[in-house]
Each structure stands twice: as structure tokens, then as C-alpha cells.
Amino acid sequence: MVDAVERFLLGERRSAPAQRELATIVFTDIVESTQRASAVGDRAWRSVLDAHDSVTRREVERHGGHVLKHLGDGMLLTFDGPARAIRGGGALRTELANLDLEIRAAVHTGEVERRADGDIGGVAVHLAARVLGLAGPGEVLVTGVVKGLVAGSDLRFDERGRHRLKGIDDEWDVHAVQL
């Protein structure tokens, strides 16, 4: 009934407020995937990606996370806590190495907007994606936010300095996880 009244009075229904929630975001990327796909061909590469996806789903679920979407040669994942995300990223790196795949990963915790289709958006997602661009082969990088949130854990980090990330106003501390 409220929808009908809104449409009558306003000429349209107002959009629902965005559903924001705190999440730990992880982006992964297969190192040198384009070169490998070119070398083995599409059919063989599809088999490699299928194995990658299977291992990723298993490890992410084992660490309490969720696979949100495939990104060609990587994934967008969420976890309910940063330590789980870091450990999940480390386990994923190890398990995919058994398939002769090397990945890089980035972890950030922040507020995201949950979309109707289950996807997420917002500045925190963009920030995590930009940090992934700084990661080298085999690295799991985290923002200073993540490092602060896992203080007191047994996780250790190497400083990677302050970075101005494309499209983000502030500089961000970045750290490499010692796995």
C-alpha cells in the first residue's frame, strides 16, 4: 500500500536505502594467466580454471568465506573477519601451487553496499582491487586497517609503505603477510 501511495504522490517509488555491512573483501588473481592461456589454448585453460575454481570454493568455504564472483582469472571473495580472510588467502595460495598455479591476493575490511543480486559495491571494494594491483606473484597484501584488526594474532607482516591508490583520495598503508 505504501508503494502505491508513494507512486501516486511522487510519481514514482523512492529507491530503498542501500544495505551497508562490514565485510572483509579479498581479490585474487592468477599470475601470468594470459600467457598461460595463450600457451595451452582455450580448452586446456578452461580445465585449469575449473580446477582453480573448485579449489577456491573448497578453501574459501573451509575458512568461513563466500565466493561472490569469478573475475576471469581471479575471484572476489568475502569473509566475516580479516584473520579468516588472511588464512584463507594463504591456504588458497598453497593449494593452488599444487596445481602449478601462482596467485596474488589483496585483503581489505570496510563497509560495502550489498546489492540485490548478492554482489557488493562501494569504495571498500575499489580499494581492495587497487591493493591487488600492488601485489607481486605469491603475495597476500593487506591494508593497514586489516593489520590493525588482527593485532594480537599470530599473523606477521612486512611493511610495503604508504600508497596513493588510483581513484582513492587518501594514502593507504599496505603490508605483505608473512605466510
Side-chain angles (χ1 to χ4, degrees):
M1 171 106 82
V2 173
D3 290 347
V5 172
E6 274 186 354
R7 270 191 228 102
F8 176 75
L9 293 175
L10 302 174
E12 62 183 28
R13 184 177 181 275
R14 293 181 300 187
S15 62
Q19 182 181 345
R20 294 183 63 80
E21 61 188 58
L22 187 65
T24 299
I25 306 147
V26 178
F27 275 99
T28 67
D29 178 59
I30 300 172
V31 175
E32 297 182 355
S33 61
T34 303
Q35 295 89 331
R36 292 197 56 188
S38 294
V40 301
D42 289 342
R43 182 174 297 151
W45 185 245
R46 178 75 256 155
S47 293
V48 170
L49 287 179
D50 288 345
H52 165 273
D53 295 353
S54 177
V55 168
T56 299
R57 275 190 299 281
R58 183 186 73 230
E59 289 304 311
V60 168
E61 287 173 9
R62 191 168 73 87
H63 288 86
H66 304 280
V67 174
L68 289 190
K69 82 166 94 166
H70 299 261
L71 303 167
D73 60 350
M75 299 262 193
L76 171 58
L77 317 167
T78 59
F79 292 81
D80 63 359
R84 286 183 184 199
I86 292 168
R87 288 188 174 95
L92 188 55
R93 184 186 73 167
T94 300
E95 292 301 314
L96 289 171
N98 293 331
L99 298 176
D100 196 30
L101 290 174
E102 189 171 36
I103 65 164
R104 58 193 180 126
V107 182
H108 175 63
T109 300
E111 278 200 341
V112 299
E113 290 194 2
R114 180 69 60 179
R115 299 175 53 155
D117 63 359
D119 198 2
I120 58 174
V123 173
V125 176
H126 293 280
L127 202 147
R130 296 296 185 249
V131 172
L132 179 65
L134 301 172
E139 286 189 317
V140 176
L141 295 185
V142 304
T143 61
V145 169
V146 170
K147 182 183 179 212
L149 288 171
V150 299
S153 72
D154 61 347
L155 295 166
R156 300 289 175 252
F157 304 91
D158 292 324
E159 298 286 330
R160 289 301 167 91
R162 292 182 66 76
H163 295 268
R164 182 163 298 282
L165 305 170
K166 181 180 175 185
I168 309 290
D169 289 337
D170 301 323
E171 289 186 345
W172 286 81
D173 290 326
V174 176
H175 310 272
V177 181
Q178 295 177 3
L179 294 170

Coordinates of all heavy atoms in Angstrom, one line a residue, residues 46-120:
R46 N 40.5 -23.8 -19.9 CA 39.2 -24.0 -19.2 C 39.3 -25.1 -18.1 O 38.7 -24.9 -17.0 CB 38.1 -24.4 -20.2 CG 36.7 -24.6 -19.7 CD 36.0 -23.3 -19.3 NE 36.1 -23.2 -17.8 CZ 36.0 -22.0 -17.2 NH1 35.9 -20.9 -17.8 NH2 36.0 -22.0 -15.9
S47 N 40.0 -26.1 -18.4 CA 40.2 -27.2 -17.4 C 41.0 -26.7 -16.2 O 40.7 -27.0 -15.1 CB 40.9 -28.4 -18.0 OG 40.1 -29.0 -19.0
V48 N 42.0 -25.8 -16.5 CA 42.8 -25.2 -15.4 C 41.9 -24.4 -14.6 O 42.0 -24.4 -13.3 CB 44.0 -24.4 -16.0 CG1 44.7 -23.6 -14.9 CG2 45.0 -25.4 -16.7
L49 N 41.1 -23.5 -15.2 CA 40.2 -22.6 -14.5 C 39.2 -23.4 -13.7 O 38.8 -23.0 -12.5 CB 39.5 -21.7 -15.4 CG 40.3 -20.5 -16.0 CD1 39.5 -19.7 -16.9 CD2 41.0 -19.7 -14.9
D50 N 38.7 -24.5 -14.2 CA 37.7 -25.3 -13.5 C 38.4 -25.9 -12.2 O 37.7 -25.9 -11.1 CB 37.2 -26.5 -14.3 CG 36.2 -26.0 -15.4 OD1 35.7 -24.9 -15.3 OD2 36.0 -26.8 -16.3
A51 N 39.6 -26.4 -12.3 CA 40.3 -26.9 -11.1 C 40.6 -25.7 -10.1 O 40.4 -25.9 -8.9 CB 41.6 -27.5 -11.6
H52 N 41.0 -24.6 -10.6 CA 41.2 -23.4 -9.8 C 39.9 -23.0 -9.0 O 39.9 -22.8 -7.8 CB 41.6 -22.2 -10.7 CG 41.5 -20.9 -10.0 ND1 40.3 -20.1 -10.0 CD2 42.4 -20.1 -9.4 CE1 40.5 -19.0 -9.4 NE2 41.8 -19.0 -9.0
D53 N 38.8 -23.0 -9.7 CA 37.5 -22.7 -9.1 C 37.1 -23.7 -8.0 O 36.6 -23.3 -7.0 CB 36.4 -22.5 -10.2 CG 36.7 -21.4 -11.2 OD1 37.6 -20.6 -11.0 OD2 35.9 -21.3 -12.1
S54 N 37.3 -24.9 -8.3 CA 37.0 -26.0 -7.3 C 37.8 -25.8 -6.1 O 37.3 -25.9 -4.9 CB 37.2 -27.3 -8.0 OG 36.9 -28.4 -7.0
V55 N 39.1 -25.7 -6.2 CA 40.0 -25.5 -5.1 C 39.6 -24.2 -4.3 O 39.5 -24.2 -3.1 CB 41.5 -25.5 -5.5 CG1 42.4 -25.0 -4.4 CG2 41.9 -26.8 -6.0
T56 N 39.3 -23.2 -5.0 CA 39.0 -21.9 -4.4 C 37.7 -22.0 -3.6 O 37.7 -21.6 -2.4 CB 38.9 -20.8 -5.5 OG1 40.1 -20.6 -6.1 CG2 38.5 -19.4 -4.8
R57 N 36.7 -22.6 -4.2 CA 35.4 -22.8 -3.4 C 35.7 -23.6 -2.1 O 35.2 -23.2 -1.1 CB 34.4 -23.4 -4.3 CG 33.6 -22.5 -5.2 CD 32.4 -23.2 -5.8 NE 32.8 -24.3 -6.7 CZ 33.2 -24.1 -7.9 NH1 33.4 -23.0 -8.5 NH2 33.5 -25.2 -8.6
R58 N 36.4 -24.7 -2.3 CA 36.7 -25.5 -1.1 C 37.4 -24.8 0.0 O 37.0 -24.8 1.2 CB 37.5 -26.8 -1.5 CG 37.7 -27.8 -0.4 CD 38.6 -28.9 -0.8 NE 40.0 -28.4 -0.9 CZ 40.8 -28.7 -1.9 NH1 40.3 -29.4 -3.0 NH2 42.0 -28.2 -2.0
E59 N 38.5 -24.1 -0.3 CA 39.3 -23.4 0.7 C 38.6 -22.2 1.3 O 38.7 -22.0 2.5 CB 40.6 -23.0 0.1 CG 41.6 -24.1 -0.2 CD 41.8 -25.0 1.1 OE1 42.2 -24.4 2.1 OE2 41.7 -26.2 1.0
V60 N 37.8 -21.5 0.5 CA 37.1 -20.3 1.0 C 36.0 -20.8 1.9 O 35.9 -20.3 3.0 CB 36.5 -19.5 -0.2 CG1 35.5 -18.5 0.3 CG2 37.6 -18.8 -1.0
E61 N 35.3 -21.8 1.6 CA 34.3 -22.4 2.5 C 34.9 -22.9 3.8 O 34.4 -22.7 4.9 CB 33.4 -23.5 1.8 CG 32.5 -22.9 0.7 CD 31.8 -24.0 -0.1 OE1 31.9 -25.2 0.3 OE2 31.1 -23.6 -1.1
R62 N 36.0 -23.6 3.6 CA 36.7 -24.1 4.8 C 37.1 -23.0 5.8 O 37.2 -23.3 7.0 CB 37.9 -24.9 4.3 CG 38.6 -25.8 5.4 CD 39.6 -26.7 4.8 NE 40.8 -26.1 4.4 CZ 41.9 -25.9 5.1 NH1 41.9 -26.2 6.4 NH2 42.9 -25.3 4.6
H63 N 37.4 -21.8 5.3 CA 37.8 -20.7 6.1 C 36.6 -19.7 6.4 O 36.9 -18.6 6.9 CB 39.0 -20.0 5.5 CG 40.2 -20.8 5.6 ND1 40.6 -21.7 4.6 CD2 41.2 -20.8 6.5 CE1 41.7 -22.3 5.0 NE2 42.1 -21.8 6.1
G64 N 35.4 -20.2 6.2 CA 34.3 -19.4 6.5 C 33.9 -18.2 5.6 O 33.3 -17.3 6.0
G65 N 34.4 -18.3 4.4 CA 34.1 -17.2 3.4 C 33.1 -17.6 2.4 O 32.5 -18.7 2.4
H66 N 32.9 -16.6 1.5 CA 32.0 -16.8 0.4 C 32.6 -16.4 -0.9 O 33.2 -15.3 -1.0 CB 30.7 -16.0 0.6 CG 30.1 -16.3 1.9 ND1 29.2 -17.4 2.1 CD2 30.1 -15.7 3.1 CE1 28.8 -17.4 3.4 NE2 29.3 -16.4 4.0
V67 N 32.4 -17.2 -2.0 CA 32.8 -16.7 -3.3 C 31.7 -15.9 -3.9 O 30.5 -16.4 -4.0 CB 33.1 -18.0 -4.2 CG1 33.3 -17.5 -5.7 CG2 34.2 -18.8 -3.7
L68 N 31.9 -14.6 -4.2 CA 30.9 -13.8 -4.7 C 30.8 -13.8 -6.2 O 29.8 -13.8 -6.8 CB 31.1 -12.3 -4.3 CG 30.8 -12.0 -2.8 CD1 30.8 -10.5 -2.6 CD2 29.5 -12.6 -2.4
K69 N 32.0 -13.8 -6.9 CA 32.0 -13.8 -8.3 C 33.4 -14.2 -8.9 O 34.4 -14.0 -8.3 CB 31.5 -12.5 -8.9 CG 32.4 -11.4 -9.0 CD 31.9 -10.3 -10.0 CE 31.2 -9.2 -9.2 NZ 30.9 -8.0 -9.9
H70 N 33.3 -14.7 -10.1 CA 34.5 -15.1 -10.9 C 34.9 -13.8 -11.7 O 34.0 -13.1 -12.2 CB 34.2 -16.2 -11.8 CG 33.8 -17.5 -11.1 ND1 34.7 -18.5 -10.9 CD2 32.6 -17.9 -10.6 CE1 34.1 -19.5 -10.3 NE2 32.8 -19.1 -10.1
L71 N 36.2 -13.6 -11.8 CA 36.6 -12.4 -12.5 C 37.6 -12.8 -13.6 O 38.6 -12.2 -13.8 CB 37.3 -11.4 -11.5 CG 36.5 -11.0 -10.3 CD1 37.3 -10.3 -9.3 CD2 35.4 -10.1 -10.8
G72 N 37.2 -13.8 -14.3 CA 38.1 -14.3 -15.4 C 39.2 -15.2 -14.9 O 39.1 -16.4 -14.8
D73 N 40.3 -14.5 -14.4 CA 41.4 -15.3 -13.9 C 41.6 -15.0 -12.4 O 42.6 -15.2 -11.8 CB 42.7 -14.9 -14.6 CG 43.0 -13.4 -14.5 OD1 42.2 -12.7 -14.0 OD2 44.1 -13.0 -14.9
G74 N 40.5 -14.7 -11.7 CA 40.6 -14.4 -10.3 C 39.2 -14.5 -9.7 O 38.2 -14.9 -10.4
M75 N 39.1 -14.1 -8.4 CA 37.8 -14.2 -7.7 C 37.6 -13.0 -6.8 O 38.6 -12.4 -6.4 CB 37.8 -15.4 -6.9 CG 37.9 -16.7 -7.6 SD 36.2 -17.4 -7.8 CE 36.6 -19.0 -8.3
L76 N 36.4 -12.7 -6.5 CA 36.0 -11.7 -5.5 C 35.4 -12.6 -4.4 O 34.4 -13.3 -4.6 CB 35.0 -10.7 -6.0 CG 34.4 -9.8 -4.9 CD1 35.4 -9.0 -4.1 CD2 33.4 -8.8 -5.6
L77 N 36.0 -12.5 -3.2 CA 35.6 -13.3 -2.0 C 35.2 -12.4 -0.9 O 35.8 -11.2 -0.8 CB 36.7 -14.2 -1.6 CG 37.5 -14.9 -2.7 CD1 38.8 -15.5 -2.1 CD2 36.6 -16.0 -3.4
T78 N 34.4 -12.8 0.1 CA 34.2 -12.1 1.3 C 34.3 -13.1 2.5 O 34.0 -14.3 2.4 CB 32.8 -11.4 1.4 OG1 31.8 -12.4 1.2 CG2 32.7 -10.3 0.3
F79 N 34.7 -12.5 3.6 CA 34.8 -13.2 4.9 C 34.3 -12.4 6.0 O 34.2 -11.1 5.8 CB 36.3 -13.5 5.2 CG 37.0 -14.5 4.2 CD1 37.4 -14.1 3.0 CD2 37.1 -15.8 4.6 CE1 38.0 -15.0 2.1 CE2 37.7 -16.8 3.7 CZ 38.1 -16.3 2.5
D80 N 33.9 -13.0 7.1 CA 33.3 -12.2 8.2 C 34.4 -11.7 9.1 O 34.1 -11.0 10.1 CB 32.3 -13.0 8.9 CG 32.8 -14.3 9.6 OD1 34.0 -14.5 9.5 OD2 32.0 -15.0 10.3
G81 N 35.6 -12.0 8.8 CA 36.7 -11.5 9.6 C 38.0 -11.5 8.9 O 38.3 -12.3 8.0
P82 N 38.9 -10.5 9.2 CA 40.2 -10.4 8.5 C 41.2 -11.6 8.7 O 41.9 -12.0 7.8 CB 40.7 -9.1 9.0 CG 40.1 -8.8 10.2 CD 38.7 -9.5 10.2
A83 N 41.2 -12.1 9.9 CA 42.2 -13.2 10.1 C 41.8 -14.4 9.3 O 42.6 -15.1 8.7 CB 42.3 -13.6 11.6
R84 N 40.5 -14.7 9.2 CA 40.0 -15.8 8.4 C 40.3 -15.6 6.9 O 40.7 -16.5 6.2 CB 38.5 -16.0 8.5 CG 38.0 -16.6 9.8 CD 36.5 -16.7 9.8 NE 36.1 -17.2 11.1 CZ 34.9 -17.8 11.3 NH1 34.1 -18.0 10.3 NH2 34.6 -18.3 12.5
A85 N 40.2 -14.3 6.5 CA 40.5 -14.0 5.1 C 41.9 -14.2 4.8 O 42.3 -14.7 3.8 CB 40.0 -12.5 4.8
I86 N 42.8 -13.7 5.7 CA 44.2 -13.9 5.5 C 44.6 -15.4 5.5 O 45.4 -15.8 4.6 CB 45.0 -13.1 6.6 CG1 44.8 -11.6 6.4 CG2 46.5 -13.5 6.6 CD1 45.3 -10.8 7.6
R87 N 44.1 -16.1 6.4 CA 44.4 -17.5 6.5 C 43.9 -18.3 5.2 O 44.5 -19.2 4.7 CB 44.0 -18.2 7.8 CG 44.8 -17.7 8.9 CD 44.5 -18.4 10.2 NE 45.4 -18.0 11.3 CZ 45.2 -17.1 12.2 NH1 44.1 -16.4 12.2 NH2 46.1 -16.8 13.0
G88 N 42.7 -17.9 4.8 CA 42.1 -18.4 3.6 C 42.9 -18.1 2.4 O 43.1 -19.0 1.5
G89 N 43.3 -16.9 2.3 CA 44.2 -16.5 1.2 C 45.5 -17.3 1.1 O 46.0 -17.7 0.1
G90 N 46.1 -17.5 2.3 CA 47.3 -18.2 2.4 C 47.1 -19.7 2.0 O 47.9 -20.3 1.3
A91 N 46.0 -20.3 2.5 CA 45.7 -21.7 2.2 C 45.4 -21.8 0.7 O 45.9 -22.8 0.0 CB 44.5 -22.2 3.0
L92 N 44.7 -20.8 0.1 CA 44.4 -20.9 -1.3 C 45.7 -20.8 -2.1 O 45.9 -21.5 -3.1 CB 43.5 -19.7 -1.6 CG 42.9 -19.6 -3.0 CD1 42.2 -20.9 -3.4 CD2 42.0 -18.4 -3.1
R93 N 46.6 -19.9 -1.7 CA 47.9 -19.8 -2.4 C 48.6 -21.1 -2.4 O 49.2 -21.6 -3.4 CB 48.8 -18.7 -1.7 CG 50.1 -18.5 -2.4 CD 50.9 -17.5 -1.6 NE 51.4 -18.2 -0.5 CZ 52.4 -17.8 0.3 NH1 52.9 -16.6 0.1 NH2 52.8 -18.5 1.3
T94 N 48.7 -21.8 -1.2 CA 49.4 -23.1 -1.1 C 48.7 -24.2 -1.9 O 49.4 -24.9 -2.7 CB 49.4 -23.5 0.4 OG1 50.1 -22.5 1.1 CG2 50.1 -24.9 0.6
E95 N 47.4 -24.3 -1.8 CA 46.6 -25.4 -2.6 C 46.7 -25.2 -4.1 O 46.8 -26.1 -4.8 CB 45.2 -25.4 -2.1 CG 45.0 -25.9 -0.7 CD 45.6 -27.3 -0.5 OE1 45.4 -28.2 -1.3 OE2 46.3 -27.5 0.5
L96 N 46.6 -23.9 -4.5 CA 46.7 -23.7 -6.0 C 48.1 -23.9 -6.5 O 48.3 -24.3 -7.7 CB 46.2 -22.3 -6.3 CG 44.7 -22.1 -6.2 CD1 44.4 -20.6 -6.3 CD2 44.0 -22.9 -7.2
A97 N 49.1 -23.7 -5.7 CA 50.5 -24.0 -6.1 C 50.7 -25.5 -6.4 O 51.4 -25.9 -7.3 CB 51.5 -23.6 -5.0
N98 N 49.8 -26.4 -5.7 CA 49.8 -27.8 -6.0 C 49.3 -28.1 -7.4 O 49.6 -29.2 -8.0 CB 49.0 -28.6 -5.0 CG 49.6 -28.6 -3.6 OD1 50.9 -28.5 -3.5 ND2 48.8 -28.6 -2.6
L99 N 48.6 -27.1 -8.0 CA 48.1 -27.3 -9.4 C 49.0 -26.5 -10.4 O 48.6 -26.2 -11.5 CB 46.7 -26.7 -9.5 CG 45.6 -27.3 -8.7 CD1 44.3 -26.6 -8.8 CD2 45.4 -28.8 -9.1
D100 N 50.2 -26.1 -9.9 CA 51.1 -25.3 -10.6 C 50.5 -23.9 -11.0 O 50.8 -23.4 -12.1 CB 51.6 -26.0 -11.9 CG 52.8 -25.4 -12.5 OD1 53.6 -24.8 -11.7 OD2 53.0 -25.4 -13.7
L101 N 49.7 -23.4 -10.1 CA 49.1 -22.0 -10.3 C 49.6 -21.1 -9.2 O 49.6 -21.5 -8.0 CB 47.6 -22.1 -10.3 CG 46.9 -22.7 -11.4 CD1 45.4 -22.8 -11.1 CD2 47.1 -21.9 -12.7
E102 N 50.1 -20.0 -9.6 CA 50.5 -19.0 -8.6 C 49.5 -17.8 -8.6 O 49.1 -17.4 -9.7 CB 51.9 -18.4 -9.0 CG 52.5 -17.5 -8.0 CD 54.0 -17.2 -8.3 OE1 54.3 -17.1 -9.5 OE2 54.8 -17.1 -7.3
I103 N 49.1 -17.4 -7.4 CA 48.2 -16.3 -7.3 C 48.8 -15.2 -6.5 O 49.8 -15.3 -5.9 CB 46.8 -16.7 -6.7 CG1 47.1 -17.1 -5.2 CG2 46.1 -17.8 -7.5 CD1 45.8 -17.2 -4.4
R104 N 48.1 -14.0 -6.6 CA 48.4 -12.9 -5.7 C 47.0 -12.5 -5.2 O 46.0 -12.9 -5.8 CB 49.0 -11.7 -6.5 CG 48.2 -11.2 -7.6 CD 49.0 -10.3 -8.5 NE 48.2 -9.9 -9.6 CZ 48.0 -8.6 -10.0 NH1 48.5 -7.6 -9.2 NH2 47.2 -8.3 -11.0
A105 N 47.0 -11.9 -4.0 CA 45.7 -11.6 -3.3 C 45.9 -10.3 -2.5 O 46.9 -9.9 -2.2 CB 45.3 -12.7 -2.4
A106 N 44.7 -9.7 -2.3 CA 44.6 -8.4 -1.5 C 43.4 -8.5 -0.6 O 42.4 -9.1 -1.0 CB 44.5 -7.2 -2.4
V107 N 43.6 -8.0 0.6 CA 42.6 -8.1 1.7 C 42.4 -6.7 2.2 O 43.3 -6.0 2.6 CB 43.0 -9.1 2.8 CG1 42.0 -9.2 3.9 CG2 43.5 -10.4 2.3
H108 N 41.1 -6.3 2.3 CA 40.7 -5.1 3.0 C 39.4 -5.3 3.7 O 38.5 -6.0 3.2 CB 40.5 -3.9 2.0 CG 40.1 -2.7 2.6 ND1 40.8 -2.0 3.5 CD2 38.9 -2.0 2.3 CE1 40.1 -0.9 3.8 NE2 39.0 -0.9 3.2
T109 N 39.2 -4.6 4.9 CA 38.0 -4.7 5.6 C 37.4 -3.3 5.6 O 38.0 -2.3 5.9 CB 38.2 -5.1 7.0 OG1 38.8 -6.5 7.0 CG2 36.9 -5.2 7.8
G110 N 36.1 -3.2 5.2 CA 35.4 -2.0 5.2 C 33.9 -2.2 4.9 O 33.4 -3.3 4.7
E111 N 33.2 -1.1 5.0 CA 31.7 -1.2 4.7 C 31.5 -1.3 3.2 O 32.1 -0.6 2.4 CB 31.0 0.1 5.2 CG 30.7 0.0 6.6 CD 29.6 1.0 7.0 OE1 29.3 1.9 6.3 OE2 29.0 0.7 8.1
V112 N 30.6 -2.2 2.8 CA 30.2 -2.4 1.4 C 28.7 -2.3 1.3 O 28.0 -2.4 2.3 CB 30.6 -3.8 1.0 CG1 32.1 -4.0 1.0 CG2 29.9 -4.9 1.7
E113 N 28.3 -2.0 0.1 CA 26.8 -2.0 -0.2 C 26.5 -3.3 -0.8 O 27.0 -3.7 -1.8 CB 26.5 -0.8 -1.1 CG 26.6 0.5 -0.5 CD 26.0 1.6 -1.3 OE1 25.4 1.3 -2.3 OE2 26.1 2.8 -0.8
R114 N 25.5 -4.0 -0.1 CA 25.0 -5.3 -0.6 C 24.0 -5.0 -1.7 O 23.0 -4.3 -1.4 CB 24.5 -6.1 0.5 CG 23.9 -7.4 0.2 CD 25.0 -8.4 -0.2 NE 25.9 -8.7 0.9 CZ 26.9 -9.6 0.7 NH1 27.1 -10.2 -0.4 NH2 27.8 -9.8 1.7
R115 N 24.2 -5.6 -2.9 CA 23.3 -5.4 -4.0 C 22.2 -6.5 -4.0 O 22.4 -7.5 -3.3 CB 24.0 -5.4 -5.3 CG 25.1 -4.2 -5.3 CD 25.9 -4.2 -6.5 NE 25.0 -4.3 -7.7 CZ 25.4 -3.9 -8.9 NH1 26.5 -3.4 -9.1 NH2 24.5 -4.0 -9.9
A116 N 21.1 -6.2 -4.6 CA 20.0 -7.2 -4.6 C 20.4 -8.6 -5.2 O 19.9 -9.6 -4.7 CB 18.9 -6.7 -5.5
D117 N 21.4 -8.6 -6.1 CA 21.9 -9.9 -6.7 C 22.9 -10.6 -5.8 O 23.5 -11.6 -6.3 CB 22.3 -9.7 -8.1 CG 23.6 -8.8 -8.2 OD1 24.1 -8.3 -7.2 OD2 24.1 -8.6 -9.3
G118 N 23.2 -10.0 -4.6 CA 24.2 -10.7 -3.8 C 25.6 -10.1 -4.0 O 26.5 -10.4 -3.2
D119 N 25.8 -9.4 -5.0 CA 27.1 -8.7 -5.3 C 27.3 -7.6 -4.3 O 26.4 -7.2 -3.5 CB 27.1 -8.2 -6.7 CG 28.6 -7.9 -7.2 OD1 29.5 -8.2 -6.5 OD2 28.7 -7.4 -8.4
I120 N 28.5 -7.1 -4.2 CA 28.8 -6.0 -3.4 C 29.5 -4.8 -4.1 O 30.0 -5.0 -5.2 CB 29.8 -6.4 -2.2 CG1 31.1 -6.9 -2.7 CG2 29.1 -7.3 -1.2 CD1 32.1 -7.2 -1.6

